[in-house]
Amino acid sequence: MTTDPSRAVAAGSIAQWDHETDVAVIGFGAAGACAALEAARGGATVTLYEASSGSGGASAMSGGEIYLGGSGGTPAQRDAGFTDATEDLEAYLMMAGGPDADAAKVGLYARESLAHYEWLVAQGVPYKGTYVPGKVIEPETDDTLIYSGSEEAWPFSEKAKPAPRGHVIQYMGWGGGRLLVDTLEARAREAGVDVHIDARARALVRDEDGTVVGLIVREDGREKAVRARRGVVLATGGFCMNREMVRLHAPTALRCDSPIGTIDDGVGILMGQSVGARTIHMDQFFTTCPWYPPESLVKGIFVNAAGQRFINEDCYHGRVSRTIVDQPGKKVWLLVDNAIFARPMELARVDLTAVGETWEEVEAELGFVPGTLATSVAQYNAHAAGGVDPMWHKAPKWLKPLDEPPFAALEFDLDSSYFSFFTLGGLETLPTGEVLDMRGEAIPGLYAAGRVTCGLPRWGAGYSSGMSLADCTFFGRMAGKSVAARGADTALAAE
Ligand SMILES: Cc1cc2nc3c(=O)[nH]c(=O)nc-3n(C[C@H](O)[C@H](O)[C@H](O)COP(=O)(O)OP(=O)(O)OC[C@H]3O[C@@H](n4cnc5c(N)ncnc54)[C@H](O)[C@@H]3O)c2cc1C
């Protein structure tokens, strides 16, 4: 049998099923683990197929940070003195979702986020419960709670009362995602999920009326036909590693040099499309060049090749980075004075390219048209001295005139600086995980969760750390519950 993920296999062409299960989950990252776990707890027999030699995916590479709050606040939020109303979480997530935020998913997640936190804890996900103030990407320690988005920055702060919502698994330093996946894997195996590693899904199988009834998987050196009586859950991750798909759907991301993930070849999206699924927001992606900490840099100003500011610098590093990618040319500069000078972390690959005793000197050294960059600084300084930023509304605590020489420009170059990215567009799903077809109707037997879908995070300029894993874990659970419940009676009756 020669299979192609873009072409579904007709059930009628399968002479004999090699394996039968109620639910087949494809992919063993956070989304697949949560889907498999809840499906098994929902009473289904569950088989999980993972192409690699073990669980993980991008989820295990991650910081293990999850965006949580609402209902008054999680214990970590409350212990640190924050209250977090569901309405504020919802308002923030709606803004973060951009012009086409998914109100149904956002509303459900905002209402259930605290319960989801409690569920994670019940699975054994450890949280120390401590708050780390300031502009950080992730705690360097094993602490829990950080501001992980643009909550305190304009325009978000005007619509939603700020609260820190990034909850990081208790793990010393960056990279707790492995522990998160290990914890979920342990629960899934305890629940009876039958895990097949080195088993790569190749295509979906559908019957004559369009119902997805199984898949073809390459395992033990051959292609096997798997019947999934209640349905298939796609949890294969996004498509940042598939350059051709990025070229076709998210060409702006080609300006970023570093896709991050593991397989992330979009195969789940192709399989979904093979049975008529529709995709949304395929052009959207998260990117970051980690330019803070040190947080003193937030008091600097970014200018583009025209010498113009383009954002309030107190936004989340990813929102600033995403906006950098949209600027003309390939370079932007962060302007700093002696009082706030510091170097970004080495990972960012940001160089100091000009130093001068006046801003005119810096402007000339960078080759700007006279009176462009220097005028932007002079205008910013005049406002900052009065504690205001009428152009971009940077919060007063980050405002300081850049008036202490020497002055310097830190150069962000899309050709050489580290701009990591992953994709946010994918299959359109209901909050239940059901995958929608071109008419907006659920495709019977097909579910999806995580970055193979377009979920809560769907707008690069609104992404905040923790939103992807929030979406993967929570809506992975929803998909698992739904598929387990689907046709349970008919599936059993058909035995
Ligand atoms: C370095 C890094 C740090 C990050 N930090 C955070 C963070 O702290 N918080 C946050 O919210 N997000 C973070 N992210 C993003 C987040 O980790 C991912 O978006 C998320 O984990 C995706 O989860 P997933 O379950 O959809 O996919 P994955 O975790 O990638 O899992 C997909 C799985 O499917 C498997 N697979 C693929 N194709 C097939 C196939 N054909 N057959 C069988 N199996 C297949 C893959 O091998 C993989 O195991 C980070 C990402 C990176 C790379």
Side-chain angles (χ1 to χ4, degrees):
M1 200 185 309
T2 307
T3 46
D4 171 353
S6 306
R7 292 203 181 154
V9 172
S13 69
I14 292 174
Q16 193 181 345
W17 298 102
D18 294 288
H19 183 68
E20 300 206 17
T21 182
D22 288 337
V23 173
V25 177
I26 309 176
F28 206 174
C34 289
L37 177 51
E38 291 286 29
R41 288 185 181 159
T45 59
V46 181
T47 311
L48 193 156
Y49 296 97
E50 165 56 49
S52 310
S53 299
S55 66
S59 305
M61 296 171 68
S62 79
E65 179 180 347
I66 303 186
Y67 203 83
L68 296 154
S71 302
T74 64
Q77 288 177 313
R78 288 197 304 270
D79 287 353
F82 297 97
T83 52
D84 192 10
T86 300
E87 295 71 26
D88 289 313
L89 172 59
E90 184 168 5
Y92 184 80
L93 289 173
M94 285 302 289
M95 285 187 85
D100 183 43
D102 186 328
K105 283 183 184 169
V106 165
L108 180 65
Y109 186 73
R111 290 190 300 278
E112 295 294 321
S113 182
L114 179 60
H116 186 51
Y117 165 85
E118 286 160 359
W119 182 88
L120 288 162
V121 171
Q123 306 320 304
V125 177
Y127 292 107
K128 189 172 174 185
T130 38
Y131 169 59
V132 180
K135 297 286 270 184
V136 292
I137 289 183
E138 269 180 45
E140 304 282 336
T141 52
D142 61 350
D143 293 296
T144 303
L145 184 64
I146 60 168
Y147 271 104
S148 68
S150 301
E151 297 84 359
E152 294 184 291
W154 181 86
F156 300 90
S157 57
E158 288 189 339
K159 295 258 171 71
K161 186 179 159 220
R165 302 194 181 98
H167 286 68
V168 185
I169 192 167
Q170 187 172 3
Y171 178 85
M172 192 53 81
W174 290 16
R178 180 73 259 172
L179 177 59
L180 175 68
V181 176
D182 285 346
T183 306
L184 296 170
E185 174 172 359
R187 298 296 86 77
R189 287 185 184 273
E190 281 164 19
V193 174
D194 179 18
V195 177
H196 292 224
I197 58 166
D198 299 315
R200 183 179 289 264
R202 293 286 304 150
L204 293 175
V205 179
R206 68 171 160 188
D207 68 13
E208 279 172 4
D209 70 7
T211 302
V212 173
V213 295
L215 71 150
I216 305 297
V217 62
R218 182 157 188 89
E219 191 179 19
D220 304 326
R222 70 182 183 92
E223 293 200 337
K224 298 179 181 175
V226 177
R227 182 179 173 220
R229 289 179 288 254
R230 298 188 197 178
V232 174
V233 183
L234 297 168
T236 48
F239 63 94
C240 65
M241 299 289 181
N242 184 331
R243 200 168 168 82
E244 182 63 4
M245 281 182 77
V246 171
R247 190 182 72 80
L248 287 174
H249 303 293
T252 307
L254 295 173
R255 285 165 68 82
C256 308
D257 68 339
S258 298
I260 50 171
T262 55
I263 294 183
D264 292 276
D265 62 357
V267 69
I269 294 172
L270 298 179
M271 285 196 273
Q273 287 177 319
S274 76
V275 293
R278 70 183 184 193
T279 56
I280 53 169
H281 303 305
M282 293 289 280
D283 61 325
Q284 291 297 315
F285 60 95
F286 158 85
T287 185
T288 197
C289 180
W291 61 276
Y292 66 74
E295 73 172 20
S296 67
L297 293 176
V298 176
K299 293 181 178 168
I301 60 172
F302 276 100
V303 292
N304 62 19
Q308 299 290 319
R309 270 181 89 206
F310 50 86
I311 195 160
N312 44 328
E313 296 80 5
D314 55 347
C315 287
Y316 171 59
H317 55 88
R319 176 171 164 84
V320 173
S321 299
R322 181 64 191 81
T323 310
I324 290 174
V325 175
D326 282 340
Q327 297 309 301
K330 291 208 160 175
K331 294 179 182 175
V332 304
W333 294 266
L334 179 58
L335 306 180
V336 294
D337 72 356
N338 188 51
I340 63 166
F341 176 79
R343 284 181 188 272
M345 68 184 81
E346 219 169 292
L347 177 70
R349 300 199 296 263
V350 168
D351 292 328
L352 176 65
T353 47
V355 179
E357 288 303 311
T358 65
W359 282 112
E360 284 74 14
E361 271 179 50
V362 173
E363 178 181 82
E365 200 172 327
L366 292 173
F368 272 86
V369 174
T372 51
L373 180 149
T375 304
S376 291
V377 178
Q379 192 181 47
Y380 175 79
N381 281 352
H383 290 137
V388 291
D389 176 20
M391 306 274 279
W392 291 102
H393 315 287
K394 185 150 86 170
K397 74 171 177 179
W398 302 112
L399 290 174
K400 181 205 104 60
L402 303 175
D403 56 4
E404 183 182 317
F407 304 117
L410 294 160
E411 185 168 282
F412 292 64
D413 183 339
L414 287 169
D415 282 337
S416 54
S417 301
Y418 176 67
F419 278 80
S420 62
F421 78 96
F422 61 82
T423 54
L424 299 177
L427 302 173
E428 187 171 21
T429 54
L430 296 174
T432 54
E434 291 164 281
V435 177
L436 299 182
D437 67 14
M438 296 304 283
R439 292 167 303 174
E441 289 173 12
I443 298 171
L446 188 62
Y447 299 77
R451 292 291 56 78
V452 69
T453 72
C454 183
L456 284 179
R458 52 176 54 201
W459 188 46
Y463 188 84
S464 304
S465 282
M467 281 189 181
S468 184
L469 285 174
D471 179 72
C472 292
T473 53
F474 182 76
F475 289 102
R477 292 178 58 205
M478 296 303 110
K481 286 184 184 185
S482 314
V483 68
R486 175 181 172 262
D489 298 338
T490 44
L492 293 173
E495 288 304 286

